[in-house]
Amino acid sequence: MTSLTRQEIEQGLAENRQSPGGAARNAHAEALVAAAEASGDRALFRETLDNLINAYLWSSESSKLLVPFARLLQEYDKDPGAFSEWDAHSLFWQFKWVATAISDSPGIPLESATGWLDEMERRYRIAGYSERPVREAELWLADAIGDDERAERAFKRWLAADRDDMSDCRACELNGQGQYAVLRGDDAQALEIWAPVLAGENTCAEEPHRVLATSLLPLSRLGRTDEARSNHLRGYRMARGNESLLPAVAKHIEFCALTGNESRGLEILAEHASHVGPLANVDDQLAFHGGILVLLRRLRELGHGQSPAVPYEGVPHTVSELYEVLHAGALGIARQFDVRNGTTRVSDRFLARIGREPLIGHLPLGVRSAALGQAVSPAAPGFSTAPSPAMAPTGFAELVERARQARDLGHPGADALWAEVAVRVDTQPEPDPLVSADLADHRALAAAKRGAEEAPELLAAVRACYRALGRAERAALADLRLASVAAQSGAAPAEIRRLLGVAVRAAESLDASEPLRTRRIALAELTAIRVASYLRSVEATGDEEHGHGHVELAAELTAFVAAYEGTLADLTAEAEEMLGRIALSQGDLERAVDLLAAAAERAVAAGLPWQAVDALVLRAGVLMRLDRPEEAEQAARSALEGAAEVTDAEAQGVVRLTLADILLRRGEAAQAAGHALTGAHWFDQAGLTADGGAQVRLVLARAYAQDGRAAEAAEVLQSALPDLLEHGEEQAVFAREFLGDLLRRLNEFRPAAEQYLLAAETAKGWEDPRPQAGLAQSAADTLSDAGLATEAVAAYERALELHRLTGEAPVAEVRVLRSLAWLGLREAVTDAAVSRARTLMDEAVGVLEAALTAEPGAAHLRSELAQTWHQLAQVLDRRVSAQAEHFDEHEDEDEDDDRDGDEGGGEDAPEKLSEAEIEALRLEEIGLWDRAASAYAELGPDHLRDRFQCLNNAAWTEQERGRADAGAARVAALIDEVRALPESAVPDWLLPSAERLFAQLTA
């Protein structure tokens, strides 16, 4: 590149400044320096050095900026006059970066580091700058070498010194001050200092990115977990993929490792795997690898030491292998600092960091993360995993009795109790045959629930054991389960009926003195009703049997309720819930609501609140369909109370998803988010991350968005998007459109447009073209925001085509036409572009006038028509302004300059208008604005802002024509009219603005 021309080097500089930070940009910047130096152009050489310093700064090679800075400083010392005021300011500003780079480079002797700090102080003093940046640099050097007294003095002098043009931005200063508070053990003070940065009041290119990451552990230590979660979701999104922010990325990894989110930490590590190796900036390497080591240590402790980790310098490593490699490298760097600094401060802090213990068992983050495999994730704080009866008693006999009570009640905690019995049974001096039978019964039931092939054999063995022990009531239950298993496995109807008959006879043959005889008979009857309905559906030959089957089933269940409602509340409640589901399937929502309520009330009254959960969840959904949200919320909250003792993870997830969805629809976004977070945890525990987990994360993202937390919503939604795309086309389109909306809100225009376009592609085959048209228009708007005019035009034209296919969207069609008009003027205001824009605006007027013919009183159409006249006037005004701007720029050029008669034009220049042509355009503008203002006046006070804007534009255009009095008359008329309106109908700003405008026009 040494043979590059000046123009090529300048072009290279322009490209380099726009390139993303990293090794490629740095290498290009280095080559530009070499080429500029070879050219002998000292000014260009200085410019390339400055560019190289900035390139290094925004990468992991920031320590390399010392050499180009020293060379640039030499250039300044040789000829300070060659540096403009801005160049000199930039040079002194870079001194601060150098001070940090020197402190962070263990290869630079402490004496040299101190010398550079003294040199910085001397030069700042001579140049008249405040000592504030010098004292900050001194603080961090003193802290690194363990001189805490000097650090404290430097800190106080830093705060006391005046701020001036050389001071860091307020956000960066607050970052450093908060970090110093953390080092002194005051997390609360640090968070107070950081508050303006975290709230977005003080920001810069790297803030709040770094503060969000640094705040994670202090927040967690103080128990402010909601804020920690939020800062992680927002902050990692900002830091992701940014090479200069690898230390911040490491803090997010560390946070995940210490809050039970190791899988999330692994995903973040994988996204930055290319940097897991030696870095040019060893301080960044120490910080980055230190956070990774916290994660790797936790994974080893959880038994994942032999699991694959990310490669190191291209070589695959397990977790344990990578830990050893990174630990050795990072500790080596820390000890280099120790040798340079004459203290163990750096290595002590490093070792303390990687040895940190978890702060929280598990903090749900809301984002989807892959499971770690064999490691068992603990329940989130506050989640009940064991019901009250499952509290393990001290004695074995008491434990068995509790387990039998829970089993007989159908308590969700029975499984946990029997699991404990199974663990402790072998420790008993003598085996108890009944306990052995009960354990076998529990295993058989579990096999039946999961549909295991061996379930019938296990149940038959259990029945034999109970019969041998004289426990006929338990044997009868095994008979009933055998019939149910046969039905579940799709056995022949005749076999199912045979087994069912056996079960019914076994129940009826129980001794009259058996306390459970009535229950066994009733349970057999209810099972027979359910199975008979199933068999009728299997044997039905036509659709006509379906409705009749429901009628018969409902009659049987109703009779069952009547027979047992006074004695067996739990079975009666089960029958009523089934009746409610039948009513729901028949479309009788009101009856379904009543039946489900009765079932739930009966279960709760019987002391079995967990049995009411399903009915309440279903009832809540039906009430929402009936547009009774208050009752729906009450039902869902009752379900949540009943679920307190439910140990089934899926059931827990469903309850919270239901309540979160209801709360979201009621506008209670914060509460909805809390329940959705919990629901996501439970669905993950149940292995349903891709199913219920995806749905609840969609609700969580919507709740965050409704609460103004777009970054968190986007992070959650993006994590769940692959799963949501598998839930049907409608779900896929909604999810992509929603994500596009979020990304657009975050000014991430290109990825937003991509989501809209992908959603439009999915909707391409739909019969109704309106969804695709709306998505194409959203994509076009976003592509326009991203500055991609050509792509935006193509998307707008597709949207226009689709809108016209529907024939029902004149407003959307008009807005597309107006957008196309303005896009044509983005590059240059040429006569051709203005003509094209006028044509499009006229076409929009035609669309609206046609629509108004069919719907004359449509206020929204009249408003759009006024807006179109308004914008056409703005197009014409742009043409007049372009004329003045272009030809004013060239009026001082040499008259003899050969410009081919284009009057300083070129391909993108407008033709020069005559005074008459300019006057005609201005008159047309005024006419359009007057017409629009009149239309807005007819539309009433709600359009006063638009009307004032039109009158303001018309008045100033009159002033340009030398007729300020005509403009003032328009404004005076508006003032008189507004004064006559009720005060509540007039915006506060309007009258003062109009009076100020009138005064300016009449001055």
Side-chain angles (χ1 to χ4, degrees):
M1 291 185 69
T2 55
S3 62
L4 293 180
T5 65
R6 177 184 177 87
Q7 183 178 0
E8 289 171 334
I9 294 172
E10 289 178 339
Q11 178 63 32
L13 283 169
E15 294 172 355
N16 192 257
R17 289 172 182 135
Q18 298 301 316
S19 300
R25 179 189 178 191
N26 295 348
H28 185 206
E30 290 164 358
L32 291 172
V33 169
E37 186 174 19
S39 74
D41 187 326
R42 306 313 294 175
L44 187 59
F45 177 54
R46 292 192 296 271
E47 188 176 357
T48 58
L49 284 172
D50 179 80
N51 176 70
L52 179 58
I53 293 168
N54 280 275
Y56 282 147
L57 177 71
W58 301 104
S59 74
S60 61
E61 299 180 326
S62 57
S63 59
K64 288 185 176 182
L65 62 81
L66 293 172
V67 173
F69 177 78
R71 300 184 71 184
L72 190 58
L73 193 60
Q74 289 173 359
E75 291 290 312
Y76 179 80
D77 290 339
K78 289 176 184 176
D79 186 7
F83 283 67
S84 68
E85 183 178 348
W86 168 253
D87 291 337
H89 181 277
S90 177
L91 178 69
F92 278 88
W93 185 272
Q94 290 167 351
F95 235 123
K96 298 184 296 181
W97 304 344
V98 169
T100 300
I102 289 172
S103 178
D104 293 346
S105 302
I108 296 178
L110 188 58
E111 296 77 10
S112 297
T114 304
W116 270 99
L117 189 62
D118 292 341
E119 180 68 7
M120 177 183 178
E121 181 174 10
R122 183 183 70 83
R123 287 182 181 263
Y124 271 40
R125 184 171 59 252
I126 292 172
Y129 291 121
S130 168
E131 69 168 348
R132 193 176 180 92
V134 179
R135 301 285 75 85
E136 181 182 5
E138 181 186 8
L139 162 66
W140 297 120
L141 181 60
D143 176 72
I145 65 177
D147 190 343
D148 293 335
E149 290 185 8
R150 182 181 179 186
E152 184 64 20
R153 288 196 305 272
F155 178 70
K156 291 177 178 177
R157 292 178 66 185
W158 172 23
L159 298 186
D162 293 333
R163 286 182 55 82
D164 63 5
D165 290 344
M166 206 49 60
S167 299
D168 280 344
C169 78
R170 187 66 179 148
C172 287
E173 284 202 332
L174 291 175
N175 179 0
Q177 292 164 19
Q179 287 194 56
Y180 186 60
V182 171
L183 290 174
R184 291 180 299 177
D186 196 336
D187 289 337
Q189 184 185 21
L191 291 164
E192 184 178 347
I193 291 169
W194 289 329
V197 182
L198 295 172
E201 297 170 13
N202 298 118
T203 62
C204 69
E206 289 194 318
E207 298 299 353
H209 316 46
R210 296 182 301 169
V211 168
L212 284 165
T214 309
S215 70
L216 297 174
L217 296 190
L219 284 167
S220 300
R221 285 192 290 261
L222 292 172
R224 293 161 61 175
T225 52
D226 288 342
E227 294 170 76
R229 177 193 302 113
S230 174
N231 289 2
H232 168 65
L233 295 178
R234 288 198 296 144
Y236 178 60
R237 187 173 190 82
M238 294 177 172
R240 177 192 282 124
N242 190 326
E243 189 174 284
S244 69
L245 291 176
L246 289 176
V249 170
K251 290 173 182 177
H252 286 282
I253 293 174
E254 180 180 12
F255 167 74
C256 291
L258 299 179
T259 57
N261 291 286
E262 294 83 6
S263 59
R264 167 75 167 171
L266 272 176
E267 290 170 0
I268 296 174
L269 174 58
E271 290 180 341
H272 297 84
S274 61
H275 298 292
V276 181
L279 300 178
N281 185 330
V282 295
D283 187 67
D284 277 4
Q285 181 179 336
L286 182 63
F288 182 47
H289 290 179
I292 296 171
L293 284 165
V294 178
L295 172 66
L296 297 176
R297 180 182 63 81
R298 283 292 301 146
L299 289 170
R300 293 208 307 182
E301 292 172 351
L302 292 171
H304 295 280
Q306 299 309 307
S307 299
V310 299
Y312 181 85
E313 295 190 300
V315 179
H317 282 70
T318 65
V319 166
S320 289
E321 290 168 346
L322 185 60
Y323 179 87
E324 297 301 333
V325 171
L326 296 188
H327 185 275
L331 187 56
I333 292 171
R335 285 174 176 162
Q336 289 178 44
F337 276 107
D338 290 348
V339 172
R340 196 275 302 265
N341 298 338
T343 174
T344 60
R345 168 63 59 87
V346 174
S347 60
D348 288 345
R349 284 180 176 168
F350 165 73
L351 292 171
R353 179 186 190 185
I354 65 171
R356 282 175 178 151
E357 292 300 316
L359 298 169
I360 301 168
H362 178 71
L363 174 65
L365 298 178
V367 290
R368 184 198 197 284
S369 293
L372 285 176
Q374 75 266 28
V376 179
S377 176
F383 294 173
S384 172
T385 56
S388 52
M391 297 299 291
T394 54
F396 182 74
E398 183 186 357
L399 171 63
V400 172
E401 182 61 27
R402 288 274 190 91
R404 287 170 176 159
Q405 289 176 0
R407 177 192 65 190
D408 295 342
L409 284 171
H411 195 286
D415 287 345
L417 288 166
W418 284 116
E420 180 67 15
V421 171
V423 170
R424 294 169 58 178
V425 68
D426 292 336
T427 65
Q428 301 308 301
E430 294 183 10
D432 183 330
L434 183 56
V435 171
S436 298
D438 287 339
L439 284 172
D441 183 36
H442 181 71
R443 287 192 293 270
L445 180 58
K449 287 180 178 178
R450 64 175 184 267
E453 291 183 6
E454 67 271 19
E457 181 180 350
L458 293 173
L459 285 167
V462 165
R463 178 181 59 186
C465 285
Y466 278 133
R467 282 178 177 172
L469 293 169
R471 301 302 297 268
E473 82 287 356
R474 299 298 304 168
L477 191 56
D479 278 321
L480 191 58
R481 287 173 180 165
L482 278 166
S484 297
V485 167
Q488 291 168 8
S489 62
E495 175 63 10
I496 296 172
R497 287 192 173 96
R498 185 189 71 79
L499 290 171
L500 198 56
V502 169
V504 170
R505 289 192 295 274
E508 292 174 341
S509 65
L510 290 172
D511 191 276
S513 63
E514 168 58 53
L516 292 175
R517 182 176 186 275
T518 302
R519 169 172 287 279
R520 291 289 180 266
I521 293 172
L523 184 58
E525 288 180 9
L526 185 58
T527 303
I529 291 170
R530 185 186 293 110
V531 172
S533 175
Y534 160 73
L535 292 175
R536 284 195 295 269
S537 67
V538 169
E539 295 170 336
T541 57
D543 292 340
E544 70 280 356
E545 296 295 328
H546 183 69
H548 175 72
H550 273 169
V551 171
E552 190 172 349
L553 175 59
E556 291 169 347
L557 289 169
T558 302
F560 180 88
V561 170
Y564 293 104
E565 61 181 342
T567 54
L568 298 171
D570 57 331
L571 296 181
T572 307
E574 188 176 339
E576 281 182 322
E577 182 180 334
M578 291 173 64
L579 283 168
R581 292 179 184 274
I582 292 170
L584 185 59
S585 69
Q586 294 174 329
D588 191 345
L589 303 188
E590 293 289 354
R591 176 167 168 73
V593 164
D594 293 340
L595 285 165
L596 292 169
E601 289 169 5
R602 198 181 297 275
V604 171
L608 310 172
W610 57 86
Q611 188 180 324
V613 172
D614 286 348
L616 289 167
V617 167
L618 187 58
R619 184 171 185 267
V622 178
L623 286 166
M624 287 301 291
R625 289 171 61 183
L626 290 170
D627 196 24
R628 291 156 64 180
E630 290 184 9
E631 293 175 76
E633 181 181 340
Q634 183 179 1
R637 290 194 181 279
S638 296
L640 186 62
E641 292 175 10
E645 294 182 278
V646 172
T647 58
D648 180 72
E650 181 180 2
Q652 292 282 0
V654 168
V655 172
R656 285 160 177 80
L657 171 58
T658 302
L659 181 54
D661 187 50
I662 292 170
L663 289 168
L664 181 63
R665 296 189 197 186
R666 300 201 67 193
E668 300 290 342
Q671 287 190 56
H675 289 292
L677 269 169
T678 309
H681 165 83
W682 283 116
F683 280 122
D684 290 348
Q685 292 289 94
L688 297 171
T689 298
D691 301 307
Q695 295 302 320
V696 79
R697 285 185 170 90
L698 180 58
V699 172
L700 176 59
R702 290 169 54 210
Y704 279 153
Q706 193 178 104
D707 204 28
R709 299 157 69 177
E712 294 162 74
E715 195 71 11
V716 169
L717 183 57
Q718 282 180 311
S719 77
L721 186 62
D723 296 327
L724 292 169
L725 296 180
E726 301 299 319
H727 289 208
E729 286 189 350
E730 289 188 9
Q731 181 88 92
V733 168
F734 174 81
R736 286 201 184 279
E737 182 179 16
F738 179 28
L739 180 56
D741 293 343
L742 292 171
L743 294 173
R744 190 175 183 186
R745 209 188 301 182
L746 295 168
N747 296 326
E748 298 179 29
F749 298 123
R750 291 192 183 208
E754 180 184 4
Q755 292 302 323
Y756 290 135
L757 291 171
L758 289 169
E761 185 64 25
T762 301
K764 192 174 182 178
W766 294 1
E767 184 177 346
D768 184 356
R770 286 177 296 181
Q772 189 187 358
L775 290 163
Q777 187 166 348
S778 294
D781 290 339
T782 313
L783 288 165
S784 178
D785 292 338
L788 301 173
T790 303
E791 293 85 348
V793 167
Y796 275 129
E797 289 176 345
R798 177 59 177 156
L800 188 61
E801 177 186 352
L802 291 165
H803 283 312
R804 285 174 172 169
L805 272 177
T806 69
E808 301 174 357
V811 171
E813 189 177 341
V814 163
R815 290 179 178 175
V816 170
L817 289 167
R818 293 199 305 242
S819 296
L820 283 168
W822 285 112
L823 270 175
L825 298 171
R826 178 172 290 181
E827 295 297 323
V829 187
T830 63
D831 290 323
V834 171
S835 176
R836 169 70 174 156
R838 182 192 283 273
T839 299
L840 290 165
M841 291 288 186
D842 288 342
E843 191 175 345
V845 169
V847 170
L848 288 166
E849 288 177 341
L852 281 165
T853 300
E855 196 177 353
H860 69 288
L861 294 175
R862 293 163 61 202
S863 173
E864 290 294 331
L865 182 58
Q867 183 61 222
T868 306
W869 288 329
H870 184 177
Q871 291 193 29
L872 177 55
Q874 289 177 310
V875 168
L876 302 180
D877 188 63
R878 178 76 68 85
R879 174 63 182 90
V880 174
S881 298
Q883 155 101 3
E885 291 170 5
H886 180 77
F887 288 100
D888 285 349
E889 287 178 5
H890 293 82
E891 66 180 6
D892 294 330
E893 291 186 1
D894 188 351
E895 294 295 334
D896 295 329
D897 185 26
D898 183 8
R899 290 173 290 179
D900 297 325
D902 67 357
E903 299 295 334
E907 290 185 6
D908 292 338
E911 294 182 6
K912 190 168 186 177
L913 300 173
S914 67
E915 288 299 324
E917 289 172 321
I918 292 174
E919 177 67 8
L921 284 172
R922 283 177 170 162
L923 285 171
E924 187 176 0
E925 290 173 38
I926 293 169
L928 287 165
W929 274 319
D930 282 344
R931 193 186 309 177
S934 297
Y936 285 132
E938 293 173 3
L939 290 167
D942 289 344
H943 292 270
L944 278 170
R945 178 182 291 277
D946 294 316
R947 185 180 172 194
F948 175 75
Q949 191 175 15
C950 290
L951 291 175
N952 176 76
N953 293 346
W956 283 116
T957 306
E958 290 280 27
Q959 194 266 352
E960 290 171 1
R961 297 178 60 231
R963 300 183 68 245
D965 56 334
R970 288 177 171 81
V971 179
L974 178 65
I975 291 172
D976 291 342
E977 181 180 333
V978 167
R979 285 175 175 164
L981 291 173
E983 188 175 340
S984 59
V986 181
D988 293 340
W989 57 269
L990 181 57
L991 195 56
S993 298
E995 290 172 342
R996 185 164 53 252
L997 175 59
F998 181 79
Q1000 291 169 336
L1001 291 167
T1002 56

